[in-house]
Amino acid sequence: MNVQSGTYYWPATLADPPTYPYLTEDLSCDVLIVGGGSSGAQSAYALAGQGLAVVVIEKNTVGSGSTATNTALIQYSGEKLFTDLIHTFGQSAIDRHLALLHQAIDDIEAASRLVEMDTEFRRRNTLYFASCEEDVAKLHAEYQYLRSQGCQVEYWEEERVNALYPFAHHTAIYSRNDGELNPFKYTHALLQHAAARGVRVFEHTAMNGHRYDRERERMLVTTRSGRQIDAGRVIFAAGYEGIDIRKEPQASFVSTYTVTTEPVDDFSAWPERTLIWETARPYLYLRTTADNRAIIGGLDETTDIAEQRDNKLHHRQQMLMDALRQRFPAIPFEPAYACAAFYGGIRDGLPVIGRYDDYPRCDFIFAFGDNGTVYSQTLVRAIADDILHGHSPDLELYRHDRPVLKVGVE
């Protein structure tokens, strides 16, 4: 899959990342992780030092896939409102989902504090505003649900939003204790930490085939160079490219665009450097970086054809910069990096753990959606608990064949 194109900011922040050898021998392990992006790194981190032989293979270099374009807004709220998800899955399921997302953000922060590399994790508040008058009522209902679940949220009337921000909008939910990080550094930091605790990591090692040994109940994975890995369990953490390995009917793709600016000297016009997004679909989202840049993304296009996506990049860059300057006219933003990428989502609104009959003893991490890093942490925690302790009650919530309350979910 041609996941992305353009120029990428995150890899430029780590000039000399850790590197790993390619696989030159046959191996046997307890757990094989296929993919060296954020999901693979989170999986390796969760299983490191637990008495298991763990191997990670990455077909290119660590963090070179969708991790390089992940804007890494660390939030629990997502594109589908929790109040809408309740109609699909029931309130008890979504109450648990929300609690797990909070736990995932705490887990990400804890890992960022423990690893040796600075992942640029920062707690940030979020402004989620109603893009039009028609969205005000549903935004208020969402606020009431979040407040009932103990979330640190406030409901801001239009006057308060407009008094604090240099743009006019309707009401908003103001959420406290979300976050942001550098996904490229985070991925490298987790794998570096895991490797120091015995996880074997191999770059430039692409999976070329696999078969299941039913007698031994083990997966045999072959690499493009002809090496074989004999694994008790396999975690497919290949991001969007996991769909090339095993199709998931709930997954869908559009094209999205992102611009990262040159550094600026003064963010005083951007209150608390909040994360910002909106109820419009498709929506725009904004954040800042540790070296004083802004990132703006969105303007999604309903195409999954790479050539069509890439042909729109220059125009989308101009549109995103216009939107950024309209929102913050006092800040002299100039573009530095611009990229186009596929953006995956799950139609019913929850991320997916794929457990398929044709892939025994395998888990697929499809942490698709606007909160991919948080979703991935949630799925990894459930899979790791299942591997380490023999069971995770949260697996059923995220399995690809989970029950829904409403037929024909779109």
Side-chain angles (χ1 to χ4, degrees), residues 36-300:
S38 59
S39 294
Q42 287 167 305
S43 301
Y45 178 88
L47 296 174
Q50 299 291 334
L52 298 174
V54 181
V55 171
V56 178
I57 59 172
E58 162 57 43
K59 72 174 187 178
N60 293 312
T61 57
V62 167
S64 60
S66 57
T67 298
T69 57
N70 178 1
T71 45
L73 280 70
I74 307 302
Q75 302 169 301
Y76 54 85
S77 290
E79 185 171 357
K80 286 205 173 184
L81 298 176
F82 291 105
T83 46
D84 290 337
L85 291 173
I86 287 171
H87 293 305
T88 304
F89 297 100
Q91 181 155 344
S92 61
I94 298 310
D95 289 352
R96 178 58 179 165
H97 174 56
L98 176 56
L100 290 170
L101 297 179
H102 278 291
Q103 179 64 58
I105 295 174
D106 290 344
D107 289 346
I108 290 168
E109 180 178 30
S112 294
R113 303 289 181 239
L114 184 61
V115 295
E116 295 182 3
M117 191 183 300
D118 179 11
T119 69
E120 299 170 9
F121 180 91
R122 306 287 187 273
R123 287 284 182 172
R124 294 287 189 202
N125 300 333
T126 295
L127 184 78
Y128 180 35
F129 63 82
S131 304
C132 61
E133 185 66 34
E134 290 76 14
D135 291 342
V136 170
K138 67 180 182 181
L139 193 69
H140 189 260
E142 184 79 350
Y143 157 74
Q144 291 177 313
Y145 170 72
L146 293 173
R147 187 176 180 186
S148 75
Q149 296 301 304
C151 299
Q152 298 181 48
V153 292
E154 301 168 11
Y155 188 73
W156 285 13
E157 298 291 348
E158 183 175 355
E159 293 77 12
R160 186 172 185 184
V161 177
N162 297 341
L164 293 175
Y165 287 84
F167 47 83
H169 273 295
H170 299 282
T171 57
I173 297 175
Y174 192 80
S175 304
R176 300 187 182 277
N177 276 325
D178 286 332
E180 66 186 24
L181 55 70
N182 180 325
F184 191 74
K185 287 185 176 180
Y186 182 66
T187 295
H188 273 283
L190 293 184
L191 278 179
Q192 185 181 54
H193 183 92
R197 284 150 185 80
V199 174
R200 301 186 68 180
V201 183
F202 299 95
E203 295 180 313
H204 303 291
T205 301
M207 187 186 81
N208 194 46
H210 59 85
R211 67 179 180 87
Y212 181 60
D213 186 331
R214 295 190 177 278
E215 183 176 345
R216 298 170 54 241
E217 296 186 333
R218 294 179 68 84
M219 287 293 292
L220 302 175
V221 171
T222 55
T223 70
R224 192 169 295 165
S225 62
R227 300 302 177 185
Q228 181 170 277
I229 304 171
D230 185 327
R233 295 280 294 266
V234 179
I235 299 174
F236 287 100
Y240 297 153
E241 294 182 270
I243 295 296
D244 294 336
I245 302 171
R246 196 351 171 134
K247 299 294 183 184
E248 168 48 53
Q250 283 273 18
S252 63
F253 290 88
V254 298
S255 295
T256 193
Y257 302 86
T258 306
V259 174
T260 304
T261 71
E262 298 286 358
V264 298
D265 295 328
D266 184 6
F267 271 105
S268 59
W270 190 323
E272 297 183 323
R273 294 169 64 152
T274 47
L275 312 178
I276 300 173
W277 62 305
E278 60 183 336
T279 58
R281 298 293 182 266
Y283 58 88
L284 293 174
Y285 55 89
L286 298 85
R287 61 161 288 189
T288 62
T289 68
D291 62 346
N292 297 323
R293 302 171 189 265
I295 299 176
I296 181 169
L299 300 180
D300 297 354

Side-chain angles (χ1 to χ4, degrees), residues 328-362:
F328 294 102
I331 305 178
F333 289 120
E334 294 295 333
Y337 302 87
C339 64
F342 286 144
Y343 165 70
I346 300 296
R347 292 185 176 90
D348 67 16
L350 292 189
V352 166
I353 294 173
R355 287 194 159 181
Y356 308 105
D357 292 341
D358 51 342
Y359 277 82
R361 301 190 64 77
C362 295

